[in-house]
Amino acid sequence: MNQNVLTAKILIKKWIKSHSCKKIFCFLNLENNVHTVRHICFYATARNHYIYIPKIKSTETTEKFLSHTHLNQLLHNCKSIKEQIEVFDSYTKLTDEDVEKRQSLCQNIEKIFRQHIPECSVHLAGSTASGLGLRGCDVDLSFQHSSNEDDQNNSIAKVVSSDFVRDIKMGKIPVCDFTSLKSNMKLHILKNALRNSGLIKESTVVPGHCPILNFTLENLSWDLSVNNLSAFQGTNLMLLCRLLDSRVGPLHRLLTYWAKHLKLCGGPLKFKSYSIFLLLVYFLQTRSPHILPSVEHMLDKAEFKNNLHNWSYDISKYVDKFERSENSQSIDELIKEFFFFYAKFDFSDVICPLTNCSEKARDFISKYDSPENKFQVTEISVQDPLYPSKNVTFGVSWKYCRHFKQNLVFICKAYQNDKLWQPGEENWGLLSLFNANNALVSINK
């Protein structure tokens, strides 16, 4: 047997053993330097392996809420960058009526669930609750077994109707202790409750570390999870940052819209809006003087650790404890600095909003080297300040990380071209951010 083939087989066996694979079918042809792998089958518990189940598509497109064509026209007719930013934020942010409508629908959903589980509660989370959302954004909900914090872990919520669980995929469930079920089974029960009420038609349970029930209601996409404490805590952090400085909201909406328009955000293997938020937080922490303090300082001032499981916790009550930033930079100055800051950033470092610093990956990993607290370094690494061993960009593919970095460069080049920032040009001002490369080509022509 060829020595190269023998060596390859030994390495493959060691790799299989180290990765706990169930079986592997591998065909190698090492002659003439040709290497081919025909089929590999991993054990079901292998890391980073997910079955992608798409969410239910709304009956109407997002153009109902945000028309990019209409936005282009609005921005093109502005007389200054400042006016563009004001018009953009006014058009894209959730209105008070939008929020009230979502709150009302959330209450209706809670009423349906309480017919079967009287002590339950449903809470708004995510960008709707934090006030950072774009019009038409998904609505995040978290279901709690009990509306009382003290009863949350001790409640004996019974499912009293056999009809209520008749269509559950896993089979008919008899009268049982609801709290003892796994999250995905609870979601199937809640799914049937909503469908039997006539409130929704299409819905699907999306598996994952935190499974969700996705459904459409009033042409909006809704994501319901069970006891989603991390989402609740993240929402409070986002809300606090927005309340601490009025520039956070417009900046986040602009960056989120930019990322969504370039297809960098939303969907599998892409950035989440929460990761965009943390990139913004870290950037604002590095301004001189800083606009936001370290998250560590925020959590301490807001008595966050004392309220980790308190679903009635109102973080807005702690805003007066904080000193206002002395930084007076305008939003248009900050958005420009954001792109230049990250275009020059060394992404081999880990971004740490918790402590307002960046650390070398090797030094950072050593802090979380136990099996249960192992920080996974990727092309772009951003530490979750609420769960320090978690990288919020861990699921972002190399393709979208590269796309993100490339667009940072394009935008920096656009900022260096004065023509693109003069009113009246075809893609001037904020418009150049959404398609910087094409704008540069057009100007050059």
Side-chain angles (χ1 to χ4, degrees):
M1 181 180 292
N2 186 293
Q3 184 62 36
N4 288 340
V5 175
L6 181 61
T7 303
K9 285 189 174 183
I10 293 173
L11 290 174
I12 290 171
K13 287 181 180 179
K14 288 183 177 180
W15 184 86
I16 294 172
K17 184 177 180 180
S18 66
H19 286 73
S20 302
C21 294
K22 187 175 182 180
K23 59 182 178 178
I24 179 169
F25 301 101
C26 185
F27 300 91
L28 295 180
N29 179 6
L30 298 181
E31 296 180 3
N32 301 322
N33 293 321
V34 177
H35 302 68
T36 58
V37 180
R38 295 295 180 84
H39 181 70
I40 298 178
C41 181
F42 296 100
Y43 185 62
T45 59
R47 291 184 178 180
N48 307 333
H49 176 70
Y50 301 96
I51 298 174
Y52 173 60
I53 297 180
K55 293 183 179 181
I56 302 296
K57 292 185 178 180
S58 177
T59 54
E60 297 188 34
T61 65
T62 54
E63 286 286 306
K64 172 180 171 59
F65 302 101
L66 287 178
S67 167
H68 186 69
T69 302
H70 182 57
L71 179 62
N72 274 3
Q73 184 178 356
L74 291 174
L75 297 181
H76 181 78
N77 294 334
C78 292
K79 304 301 182 183
S80 65
I81 300 295
K82 181 180 178 181
E83 184 182 352
Q84 277 192 331
I85 291 174
E86 292 173 351
V87 168
F88 175 89
D89 201 55
S90 176
Y91 179 67
T92 59
K93 70 180 180 181
L94 287 169
T95 64
D96 292 340
E97 292 76 13
D98 292 330
V99 176
E100 289 175 3
K101 178 181 178 181
R102 292 169 182 231
Q103 290 173 338
S104 176
L105 290 170
C106 175
Q107 292 170 0
N108 291 342
I109 291 171
E110 182 180 85
K111 289 178 183 178
I112 292 171
F113 291 156
R114 285 196 169 190
Q115 295 175 15
H116 308 278
I117 306 172
E119 297 300 320
C120 76
S121 61
V122 179
H123 302 266
L124 278 171
S127 55
T128 301
S130 68
L132 295 177
L134 296 169
R135 288 175 59 192
C137 65
D138 293 358
V139 188
D140 297 313
L141 301 174
S142 183
F143 170 89
Q144 305 307 118
H145 308 134
S146 170
S147 57
N148 188 314
E149 177 194 357
D150 297 327
D151 295 338
Q152 180 66 38
N153 297 320
N154 299 319
S155 65
I156 306 178
K158 299 290 184 178
V159 179
V160 296
S161 171
S162 59
D163 292 337
F164 188 43
V165 294
R166 180 177 299 162
D167 299 324
I168 297 177
K169 289 183 177 180
M170 301 300 292
K172 186 175 180 180
I173 295 180
V175 175
C176 63
D177 181 3
F178 183 83
T179 60
S180 67
L181 299 175
K182 293 182 179 180
S183 293
N184 64 327
M185 291 303 300
K186 293 175 183 176
L187 289 174
H188 278 294
I189 292 176
L190 299 176
K191 168 184 174 180
N192 279 8
L194 291 176
R195 295 186 70 175
N196 291 343
S197 71
L199 186 67
I200 67 172
K201 294 181 180 180
E202 290 186 290
S203 60
T204 184
V205 174
V206 182
H209 177 70
C210 180
I212 60 171
L213 170 62
N214 174 249
F215 56 91
T216 56
L217 178 61
E218 297 288 334
N219 295 315
L220 292 170
S221 177
W222 297 67
D223 292 333
L224 173 71
S225 54
V226 174
N227 194 25
N228 193 348
L229 197 59
S230 61
F232 174 69
Q233 294 169 348
T235 300
N236 273 314
L237 175 60
M238 297 173 78
L239 174 61
L240 179 60
C241 290
R242 180 179 70 82
L243 295 175
L244 288 180
D245 197 283
S246 60
R247 292 166 288 187
V248 172
L251 283 168
H252 182 261
R253 279 185 286 273
L254 182 54
L255 290 170
T256 303
Y257 186 90
W258 167 77
K260 286 180 178 293
H261 180 70
L262 295 180
K263 296 180 172 52
L264 292 168
C265 183
L269 306 179
K270 298 182 181 181
F271 290 87
K272 306 298 182 186
S273 59
Y274 184 58
S275 59
I276 301 295
F277 165 75
L278 290 179
L279 286 171
L280 173 62
V281 168
Y282 178 70
F283 164 75
L284 296 177
Q285 291 171 340
T286 62
R287 300 307 87 201
S288 182
H290 68 254
I291 295 176
L292 290 177
S294 68
V295 175
E296 193 172 41
H297 177 75
M298 292 188 226
L299 300 183
D300 182 57
K301 279 274 190 180
E303 301 178 13
F304 195 82
K305 291 184 179 179
N306 297 333
N307 293 279
L308 290 178
H309 301 277
N310 180 9
W311 286 85
S312 60
Y313 173 53
D314 183 3
I315 202 168
S316 63
K317 294 180 179 179
Y318 296 86
V319 174
D320 292 338
K321 286 190 173 186
F322 293 84
E323 295 181 0
R324 297 299 175 179
S325 171
E326 296 179 359
N327 188 305
S328 59
Q329 287 181 277
S330 63
I331 293 175
D332 56 307
E333 291 175 327
L334 290 171
I335 197 66
K336 177 180 178 180
E337 286 188 10
F338 175 91
F339 290 115
F340 276 92
F341 176 79
Y342 281 113
K344 299 176 181 178
F345 189 80
D346 183 1
F347 284 106
S348 65
D349 293 349
V350 178
I351 297 170
C352 308
L354 178 65
T355 54
N356 181 22
C357 68
S358 62
E359 295 189 40
K360 294 297 179 185
R362 180 177 298 179
D363 299 333
F364 188 81
I365 292 174
S366 63
K367 298 179 182 180
Y368 306 98
D369 55 0
S370 61
E372 62 276 8
N373 291 317
K374 191 173 183 64
F375 188 89
Q376 303 285 343
V377 174
T378 51
E379 185 77 10
I380 296 176
S381 299
V382 182
Q383 181 195 35
D384 187 338
L386 304 180
Y387 297 87
S389 63
K390 179 183 177 183
N391 179 1
V392 298
T393 53
F394 177 63
V396 183
S397 72
W398 177 81
K399 169 186 173 181
Y400 292 110
C401 287
R402 181 186 62 174
H403 191 27
F404 175 79
K405 295 176 184 178
Q406 286 176 337
N407 277 279
L408 293 176
V409 175
F410 292 149
I411 288 175
C412 289
K413 289 181 179 179
Y415 269 110
Q416 293 170 346
N417 193 313
D418 293 338
K419 289 184 178 180
L420 289 176
W421 302 93
Q422 296 174 2
E425 291 290 339
E426 182 179 354
N427 286 305
W428 77 281
L430 295 186
L431 293 173
S432 65
L433 302 183
F434 304 133
N435 207 347
N437 193 35
N438 288 346
L440 286 168
V441 170
S442 177
I443 286 292
N444 291 333
K445 285 182 180 180

